[in-house]
Amino acid sequence: MHEPVLVNEVIQLLGVKEKGIYLDGTVGLGGHTKAILKIAPSIRVIGIDRDKKALEEVKKKFKEELNKRLYLYKGNFKDIMTMKKKFPVQKFQGALLDLGFSSFQLADSERGFSFQQEGPLDMRMDSSQKEKAFDIVNTLSEEKLADIFFQFGEERLSRQIAKAICQRRKKDPIQTTLQLSNLICEISPRWGQSIHPATRVFQALRIAVNEELEGLDQALKDIFQCLKEGGRLGVISFHSLEDRIVKQTFYSFENPCTCPSDFPKCVCGKKPVGKRITQKPAVPSDEEIRKNPRSRSAKLRVIERVK
Ligand SMILES: C[S@@+](CC[C@H](N)C(=O)[O-])C[C@H]1O[C@@H](n2cnc3c(N)ncnc32)[C@H](O)[C@@H]1O
């Protein structure tokens, strides 16, 4: 059901090798994991996901490989430093993060990710987490809501939408995805050929509920630390906010010097720890976008650990 994106590019740019042990920090339904395992029978993968349901699906799919070639852990890849104590190995030949949510999560209306299907305002990837989209929509101040829509959704109508939500919820809480999506449609100009008016607000709420951007830079640093020398980290992002963090963090691995630019030579002594394999991100071909439209905004950046 979930079509993995940029699979060939991931395999090629990560330089997947025989006998390697790889970390898939967002195992989802295991599409990339499957492609990595297929390269050679000696390869092993440690898979993490914060979504219990996704892990249950992967366990069913990979019965034969489970606990022999594939080891699964429920958790947040941002906690890699504590999680890895439970892993059978501590260092990886490569690591992959395929950020965001999956079609599996989107398709389940009960999880509330879709603005096109009726469901509760939930949006949690980890259903043991307390805060749902409902809590954000119905309790935050108008100003805070507008900030979320603007910062995480780059929504031009952030203030108007926040105002409309606060007025509507005075009568009754906004309970469902379609109640919210219809409210946004009411105050948005006709959208014709462009994206659905609720797209950006739903993206913003999902990012806020799951704290997707918070600590992402530190997580990249931690995962990078877990690579062997010559090991590679690949990250697939789906919007500019994530991609900016990935790009800047990778740049800092290659250019760690903090000396002022007018210093004739470096005195901070910080040496590069990474070499970017992709100067520009790899993006899906027209063919892939045609087959899997969800891939259209994907960007893959890869960096190699040099010491
Ligand atoms: C785009 S999907 C990955 C799909 C996967 N590569 C595949 O081929 O099936 C993203 C997955 O990452 C998980 N996820 C997102 N953020 C996470 C985090 N911080 N820690 C662990 N898992 C996360 C989501 O629950 C979702 O299952």
Side-chain angles (χ1 to χ4, degrees):
M1 194 200 302
H2 179 92
E3 199 62 46
V5 304
L6 293 165
V7 180
N8 295 334
E9 291 81 353
V10 164
I11 298 298
Q12 192 221 325
L13 293 166
L14 279 186
V16 176
K17 286 193 183 85
E18 277 188 37
K19 297 193 182 145
I21 300 176
Y22 291 84
L23 174 73
D24 186 345
T26 51
V27 73
L29 290 196
H32 291 102
T33 282
K34 184 175 173 192
I36 294 172
L37 286 171
K38 216 169 121 186
I39 297 294
S42 55
I43 290 176
R44 285 185 284 159
V45 173
I46 307 268
I48 298 178
D49 207 291
R50 66 203 297 199
D51 183 343
K52 197 172 112 199
K53 280 193 180 171
L55 286 176
E56 280 162 10
E57 290 298 311
V58 186
K59 278 183 190 158
K60 280 189 232 155
K61 258 195 188 170
F62 291 86
K63 269 191 202 130
E64 277 188 22
E65 293 84 357
L66 199 62
N67 298 329
K68 293 182 194 123
R69 298 184 61 208
L70 174 63
Y71 303 83
L72 294 173
Y73 297 86
K74 180 182 179 292
N76 191 322
F77 63 70
K78 293 176 189 165
D79 299 325
I80 185 77
M81 289 317 208
T82 42
M83 285 185 83
K84 74 172 187 166
K85 292 178 189 149
K86 295 188 227 147
F87 297 168
V89 291
Q90 306 294 304
K91 291 273 180 193
F92 306 102
Q93 193 57 49
L96 175 70
L97 297 179
D98 176 16
L99 298 172
F101 65 145
S102 67
S103 323
F104 170 70
Q105 291 163 331
L106 181 68
D108 183 349
S109 58
E110 282 306 301
R111 304 197 59 175
F113 286 101
S114 170
F115 49 77
Q116 283 167 326
Q117 301 179 72
E118 182 67 315
L121 271 179
D122 189 319
M123 299 197 195
R124 292 167 303 166
M125 292 183 193
D126 175 356
S127 45
S128 67
Q129 179 191 307
K130 254 186 160 177
E131 191 176 60
K132 304 177 187 176
F134 174 90
D135 303 304
I136 294 183
V137 167
N138 289 293
T139 61
L140 288 197
S141 68
E142 185 178 322
E143 204 185 345
K144 284 213 171 109
L145 279 177
D147 286 349
I148 288 178
F149 300 155
F150 186 71
Q151 276 177 22
F152 298 155
E154 298 175 290
E155 171 57 68
R156 280 186 309 111
L157 298 175
S158 55
R159 304 226 161 271
Q160 290 95 312
I161 295 172
K163 189 171 177 192
I165 288 175
C166 292
Q167 273 170 359
R168 183 68 57 92
R169 75 188 191 194
K170 274 188 202 149
K171 288 189 229 146
D172 275 315
I174 300 171
Q175 301 272 5
T176 73
T177 47
L178 288 190
Q179 282 171 4
L180 178 61
S181 147
N182 291 340
L183 174 62
I184 298 167
C185 289
E186 278 168 32
I187 58 166
S188 302
R190 274 187 65 80
W191 71 93
Q193 293 296 305
S194 71
I195 58 170
H196 187 285
T199 309
R200 294 178 191 280
V201 167
F202 271 62
Q203 171 185 301
L205 284 171
R206 196 200 78 222
I207 292 175
V209 169
N210 297 291
E211 298 182 338
E212 290 179 34
L213 302 178
E214 260 173 74
L216 179 59
D217 55 344
Q218 187 57 47
L220 297 177
K221 289 175 191 161
D222 290 345
I223 294 173
F224 189 71
Q225 282 250 324
C226 299
L227 292 177
K228 293 181 179 172
E229 196 175 324
R232 292 184 182 179
L233 167 61
V235 183
I236 302 174
S237 61
F238 288 87
H239 54 79
S240 55
L241 302 164
E242 286 171 342
D243 184 54
R244 201 171 306 143
I245 297 174
V246 179
K247 185 177 163 184
Q248 286 170 355
T249 311
F250 282 12
Y251 180 85
S252 75
F253 292 152
E254 204 174 77
N255 303 280
C257 173
T258 48
C259 297
S261 56
D262 56 350
F263 272 28
K265 65 177 187 128
C266 169
V267 292
C268 75
K270 292 185 180 140
K271 298 274 181 280
V273 287
K275 186 179 100 203
R276 281 172 296 168
I277 301 300
T278 47
Q279 292 298 324
K280 288 223 164 85
V283 293
S285 62
D286 293 344
E287 172 75 357
E288 178 167 5
I289 297 174
R290 196 180 51 73
K291 283 193 190 146
N292 178 14
R294 197 190 79 88
S295 70
R296 71 183 175 277
S297 44
K299 285 188 176 155
L300 167 67
R301 294 185 187 270
V302 179
I303 189 149
E304 181 173 306
R305 183 164 176 161
V306 293
K307 64 172 201 144

